[in-house]
């Protein structure tokens, strides 16, 4: 070995020996973890090069020796569900891990609807939170990180927490209700590893290897590895960034601020809440609008804690009551639920002021949401007439056509930082709730979702790893004529993916909200995923786990006959009305609304004026209001079309 190489060797040896002078473990392997039952378990970590490591756990033992990089790994034999157990890991130092369970571990991934924690639904699920007492249901929450450079080996933070009234608030609501049903039916410990980030595309969650068939995406991954390129793009994007703000909000720069009790309102105009200000005379306004309302509060609602429900506000808001800031939200999606201390309200006249900031599209208070004050079992309605005044108007957007690179939206970046460090941890299966951020490339999603499934099965070394996913719910404006949209294509991509073995789908076409991309009903989503798991993974053969799934069609004269799987105890119209949201077309594909009739486990579809029908669609819209085809087990049919 020449002197320069020898010097490098000893420098490298010194680095690793000092970096890992003690046995260290990945963040996932720690107190209170849940290990996968009935599977050979990999345990790994770091220590000094050449150090001998021994492990004792549940009457089993294993050994390892670190390599020159200070890495070690070993395997424990498969074990049955049980615990709690203690694990001892010994090298130069000894680590003792407490309260370990063996059960089933599920990776829960996706975007914001998988993120949404129980705390965000603390009104809807107050009783579920209060009654949570499941020491054997545990969650490891992975903090949001992204890596453009490549796969990472560890998480920087995280711990296992069990489902009690305090800690369950941090659980993903979908994942919790899934885990609770599985726990209550299978009677084994359940671990949840939650890796989810709002507003993220499926490409960000797929590894570079998993995207090799998508040449444009892999080219983008390669570019993003060049730090100089990324920094240059972001610098130039920042220089040309859109809205010019003068930070001259009149409501905040005067001697008396508009939210203060001393302020005397002048020149304020009437406006209705809820509602968008663009629909009430403020055309194309991006900026800050202040809302003010005098609310009469009875004495019985004062001196006690209270809550203000302000629905949803686009985009950001700050609430003041009687001159004091109560709460604020920086973006449009969360429902506004602000708590007031017992000293914040007074009998009689109270001043409510909301500063609303919007940078694009319609701004204001979203309709069809709760707007009221709640205290001492009593409520005061906050809808109706308020007064408003414009505090600041933003200059029109001037863009240079260059978007900044947001790492968490880039291909493979979330996989690298939030999935890759967990791929040595044995899991039972994957739960996936995502798709909203891919509505712009919905057709490509038909290839991207199968690619993700294949990728995870390879990375977790489990060729038949169960993969359960949510088909997106209804969302957006209702269209009362047959129509197209991007969300039907995303739902179709999910439906077609069922041809992949060991996959399951939760249909949620009835669980959405037209004006909220984050619908409040997360329990039914989680429980429908659990039904799929119980049928597919836990082999409850007699269980009806899905609503009707279209299988085939045949033309019979002027009618089309549809055949379905998963009809359960029979097909029904859930509302006892005529079947709706069926459309039919001849070869020209000009769809019109159709009549539909249940005949046993088939449906007959026809329409006057369509003598030679070729195609049928069902619930084929972003928000197919009135879609009512279910089975008798009250599970909805998946939307479908026969004309792809």
């Amino acid at each position: 070995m020449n002197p320069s190489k020898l010097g490098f060797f000893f420098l490298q040896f010194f680095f690793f020996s000092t970096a890992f002078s003690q046995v260290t473990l990945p963040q996932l392997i720690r107190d209170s973890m849940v290990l996968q039952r009935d599977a050979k378990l990999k345990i790994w970590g770091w220590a000094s090069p050449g150090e001998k490591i021994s492990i004792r756990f549940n009457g089993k033992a294993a050994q390892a020796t670190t390599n020159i990089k200070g890495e070690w790994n070993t395997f424990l034999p498969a074990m049955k569900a049980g615990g709690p157990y203690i694990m001892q890991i010994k090298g130069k130092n000894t680590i003792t891990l407490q309260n370990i369970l063996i059960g089933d571990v599920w990776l829960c991934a996706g975007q914001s609807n998988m993120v949404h924690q129980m705390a965000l639904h603390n009104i809807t699920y107050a009783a579920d939170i209060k009654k949570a007492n499941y020491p054997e249901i545990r969650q490891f929450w992975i903090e949001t990180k992204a890596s453009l450079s490549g796969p990472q080996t560890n998480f920087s933070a995280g711990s296992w927490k069990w489902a009690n009234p305090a800690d369950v608030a941090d659980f993903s609501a979908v994942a919790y209700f899934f885990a609770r049903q599985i726990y209550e039916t299978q009677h084994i410990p359940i671990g949840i590893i939650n890796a989810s980030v709002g507003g993220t595309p499926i490409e960000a969650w797929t590894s570079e290897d998993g995207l090799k068939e998508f040449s444009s995406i892999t080219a983008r991954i390669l570019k993003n590895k060049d730090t100089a390129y990324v920094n240059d793009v972001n610098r130039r994007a920042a220089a040309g960034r859109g809205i010019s703000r003068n930070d001259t909000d009149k409501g905040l720069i005067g001697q008396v601020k508009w939210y203060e009790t001393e302020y005397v309102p002048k020149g304020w105009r009437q406006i209705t809440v809820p509602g968008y200000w663009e629909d009430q005379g403020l055309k194309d306004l991006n900026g800050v609008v202040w809302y003010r309302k005098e609310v009469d509060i009875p004495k019985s609602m004062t001196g006690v804690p209270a809550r203000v429900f302000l629905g949803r506000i686009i985009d950001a808001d700050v609430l003041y009551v009687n001159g004091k800031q109560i709460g604020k939200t920086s973006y449009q999606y969360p429902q506004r639920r602000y708590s007031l201390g017992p000293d914040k309200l007074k009998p009689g006249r109270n001043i409510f002021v909301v500063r609303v900031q919007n940078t694009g599209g319609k701004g204001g208070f979203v309709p069809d949401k709760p707007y009221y004050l709640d205290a001492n079992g009593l409520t005061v309605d906050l809808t109706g007439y308020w007064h408003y005044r414009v505090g600041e108007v933003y200059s029109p957007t001037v863009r240079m056509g260059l978007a900044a690179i947001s790492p968490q939206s880039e291909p493979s970046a979330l996989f690298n930082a939030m999935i890759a460090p967990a791929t040595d941890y044995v899991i039972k299966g994957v739960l996936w709730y995502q798709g909203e951020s891919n509505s712009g490339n919905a057709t490509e999603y038909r290839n991207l979702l199968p690619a993700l499934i294949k990728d995870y099965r390879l990375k977790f070394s489990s060729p038949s790893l169960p993969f359960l996913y949510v088909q997106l719910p209804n969302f957006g404006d209702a269209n009362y004529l047959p129509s197209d949209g991007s969300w039907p294509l995303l739902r179709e991509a999910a439906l077609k993916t069922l041809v992949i073995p060991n996959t399951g789908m939760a249909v949620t076409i009835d669980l959405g909200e037209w004006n909220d991309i984050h619908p409040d009903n997360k329990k039914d989503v989680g429980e429908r995923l659990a039904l799929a798991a119980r049928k597919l993974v836990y082999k409850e053969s007699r269980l009806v786990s899905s609503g009707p799934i279209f299988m085939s069609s045949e033309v019979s004269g002027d009618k089309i006959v549809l055949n379905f799987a998963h009809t359960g105890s029979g097909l029904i119209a859930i509302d006892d009305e005529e079947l709706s949201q069926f459309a039919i077309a001849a070869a020209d594909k000009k769809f019109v609304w159709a009549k539909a009739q249940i005949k046993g486990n088939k449906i007959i579809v026809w329409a006057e004026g369509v003598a030679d029908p070729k195609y049928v669609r069902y619930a084929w819209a972003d928000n197919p209001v009135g879609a009512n085809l279910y089975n008798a087990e009250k599970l909805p049919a998946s939307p479908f079309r026969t004309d792809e």
Side-chain angles (χ1 to χ4, degrees):
M1 183 179 290
N2 66 47
S4 61
K5 289 184 176 179
L6 187 64
F8 175 77
F9 173 81
F10 283 114
L11 179 64
Q12 191 180 46
F13 181 87
F14 174 78
F15 169 78
F16 285 117
S17 63
T18 53
F20 301 114
S21 58
Q22 299 268 318
V23 175
T24 58
L25 299 171
Q27 200 71 22
L28 267 172
I29 299 178
R30 58 192 301 112
D31 291 336
S32 302
M33 65 181 169
V34 181
L35 294 171
Q36 181 58 45
R37 64 173 174 153
D38 302 331
K40 188 178 178 182
L41 297 171
K42 184 175 183 178
I43 307 296
W44 73 101
W46 303 269
S48 300
E51 186 170 349
K52 294 188 181 299
I53 309 297
S54 64
I55 300 177
R56 292 188 178 279
F57 177 69
N58 189 25
K60 312 295 182 183
Q63 292 78 38
T65 302
T66 58
N67 61 22
I68 192 173
K69 295 182 179 181
E71 304 163 337
W72 62 266
N73 69 76
T74 188
F75 291 88
L76 290 166
M79 288 170 262
K80 298 298 182 184
Y85 302 117
I86 293 173
M87 179 180 290
Q88 186 181 80
I89 303 171
K90 188 174 182 180
K92 291 179 181 177
N93 60 305
T94 299
I95 299 174
T96 302
L97 303 180
Q98 308 281 347
N99 194 24
I100 298 169
L101 299 177
I102 301 174
D104 282 350
V105 182
W106 289 85
L107 173 67
C108 305
Q111 58 182 109
S112 51
N113 277 306
M114 184 62 87
V115 173
H116 264 222
Q117 297 157 306
M118 292 289 285
L120 293 173
H121 304 271
N122 59 354
I123 303 301
T124 305
Y125 300 126
D128 295 284
I129 293 171
K130 185 178 180 180
K131 294 177 181 177
N133 183 24
Y134 297 94
E136 293 190 337
I137 297 178
R138 301 179 181 181
Q139 175 183 262
F140 185 95
W141 186 277
I142 299 173
E143 67 176 1
T144 299
K145 294 283 185 181
S147 170
L148 297 175
S149 60
Q152 304 299 294
T153 58
N154 200 5
F155 302 122
S156 58
S159 61
W160 290 89
K161 296 183 178 180
W162 66 277
N164 57 72
D167 290 328
V168 80
D170 294 328
F171 279 49
S172 158
V174 168
Y176 173 67
F177 288 118
F178 168 86
R180 191 176 73 177
Q181 186 179 129
I182 298 300
Y183 177 78
E184 290 179 339
T185 57
Q186 308 306 314
H187 311 293
I188 55 169
I190 300 295
I192 301 163
I193 300 174
N194 194 296
S196 48
V197 180
T200 53
I202 192 172
E203 302 94 312
W205 294 101
T206 313
S207 78
E208 183 175 355
D209 291 336
L211 292 168
K212 282 184 176 178
E213 296 179 8
F214 305 88
S215 57
S216 62
I217 297 177
T218 53
R220 188 168 164 182
I221 293 172
L222 185 61
K223 276 188 174 183
N224 287 340
K225 290 181 180 181
D226 184 346
T227 303
Y229 163 76
V230 173
N231 290 341
D232 180 60
V233 169
N234 286 343
R235 176 184 56 77
R236 289 187 289 136
R241 189 158 289 148
I243 294 174
S244 171
R245 301 179 187 175
N246 300 316
D247 294 324
T248 54
D249 182 355
K250 298 181 183 66
L252 296 176
I253 63 175
Q255 186 173 358
V256 180
K257 310 299 185 288
W258 289 0
Y259 62 83
E260 293 178 337
T261 55
E262 297 83 4
Y263 173 73
V264 178
K266 295 181 180 179
W268 290 60
R269 297 175 179 271
Q270 189 169 271
I271 195 168
T272 300
V273 172
Y276 302 110
W277 63 61
E278 278 85 354
D279 295 336
Q280 301 184 69
L282 284 76
K283 184 178 180 181
D284 299 330
L285 172 65
N286 293 324
V288 176
V289 177
W290 291 76
Y291 289 73
R292 177 186 173 96
K293 184 179 182 68
E294 295 186 8
V295 182
D296 189 56
I297 306 295
K299 185 177 180 180
S300 57
M301 295 180 68
T302 62
V304 296
R307 291 176 298 186
V308 176
F309 294 75
L310 287 178
R312 282 183 55 228
I313 298 174
I314 299 179
D315 289 311
D317 67 285
V318 184
L319 169 65
Y320 304 90
V321 175
N322 295 327
K324 303 295 183 182
Q325 181 176 317
I326 300 301
K328 62 181 181 180
T329 304
S330 61
Y331 65 113
Q332 64 171 291
Y333 292 117
Q335 289 206 30
R336 274 51 168 185
R337 295 165 175 168
Y338 297 126
S339 297
L340 285 73
D343 59 337
K344 293 298 186 291
L345 299 174
K346 58 185 180 180
R349 175 178 171 270
N350 291 257
I351 305 299
F352 282 59
V353 175
V354 185
R355 180 183 184 268
V356 180
Q357 181 183 24
N358 182 51
T359 58
K362 292 185 177 183
F365 294 78
V366 176
D368 197 23
K369 296 293 177 186
Y371 295 89
Y372 63 91
L373 171 70
D374 174 83
N376 203 26
L378 303 172
T379 61
V380 171
D381 186 15
L382 296 179
T383 64
Y385 291 128
W386 288 54
H387 287 85
Y388 80 91
R389 188 176 179 186
V390 177
E392 184 176 5
V393 177
Y394 298 149
S395 300
T397 300
V398 179
R399 298 194 180 275
M400 295 179 65
L402 186 65
I405 294 174
S406 172
Q408 69 185 40
S409 296
E410 293 299 308
S412 299
L414 293 177
F415 175 89
N416 290 339
M418 299 181 67
I419 301 295
T423 52
D424 283 331
Y425 201 89
V426 184
I427 61 174
K428 185 70 171 181
V430 178
L431 304 181
W432 178 251
Y433 191 168
Q434 190 277 337
E436 300 91 338
S437 289
N438 285 92
S439 60
N441 62 333
T443 302
E444 191 177 23
Y445 203 80
R446 288 185 63 164
N447 297 319
L448 288 168
L449 182 56
L452 178 80
I453 296 170
K454 180 180 178 181
D455 187 39
Y456 280 31
R457 288 175 172 175
L458 286 171
K459 295 302 183 183
F460 282 91
S461 302
S462 179
S464 58
L465 183 71
F467 196 100
L468 312 177
Y469 53 89
V470 178
Q471 186 189 58
L472 293 186
N474 50 309
F475 173 68
D477 293 333
N479 194 326
Y480 286 89
L481 292 173
S483 62
D484 287 299
S486 58
W487 283 49
L489 292 173
L490 284 164
R491 296 187 194 110
E492 182 178 61
L495 179 63
K496 297 296 184 183
T497 301
L498 285 175
V499 300
I500 298 175
N502 248 26
T503 58
M505 182 178 74
V507 177
T508 64
I509 195 63
D510 56 338
L511 302 182
E513 298 176 27
W514 73 270
N515 59 2
D516 198 336
I517 205 168
H518 300 125
D520 205 35
N521 187 344
K522 296 292 189 284
K523 180 184 285 188
D524 284 335
V525 179
E527 291 186 344
R528 287 180 186 176
L529 283 169
L531 284 177
R534 289 168 60 191
K535 181 80 167 187
L536 179 71
V537 180
Y538 297 104
K539 308 303 181 185
E540 295 186 42
S541 58
R542 296 184 179 181
L543 181 71
V544 177
S545 62
S546 170
I549 299 293
F550 168 74
M551 295 300 292
S552 65
S553 65
E554 53 186 309
V555 177
S556 178
D558 62 351
K559 296 179 175 61
I560 295 180
V561 181
L562 306 175
N563 301 292
F564 295 85
H566 301 285
T567 55
S569 302
L571 299 175
I572 65 168
I574 192 67
D575 53 8
D576 294 325
E577 300 286 339
E578 291 184 356
L579 289 175
S580 65
Q581 283 293 327
F582 281 89
I584 199 168
D588 59 7
K589 293 189 179 182
K590 294 181 179 179
F591 282 88
V592 297
W593 291 129
K595 297 285 187 180
Q597 184 178 26
I598 297 170
K599 289 288 187 181
N601 287 331
K602 300 178 184 290
I603 291 180
I604 315 299
V605 184
W606 74 96
E608 292 183 11
V610 183
D612 188 19
K614 298 293 184 185
Y615 309 110
V616 170
R617 292 178 174 182
Y618 170 70
W620 193 262
D622 289 344
N623 183 17
V625 174
N628 61 351
L629 175 61
Y630 286 64
N631 57 26
E633 284 71 21
K634 299 184 178 179
L635 294 172
S638 169
F640 66 90
R641 62 174 174 168
T642 68
D643 63 299
E644 62 178 307

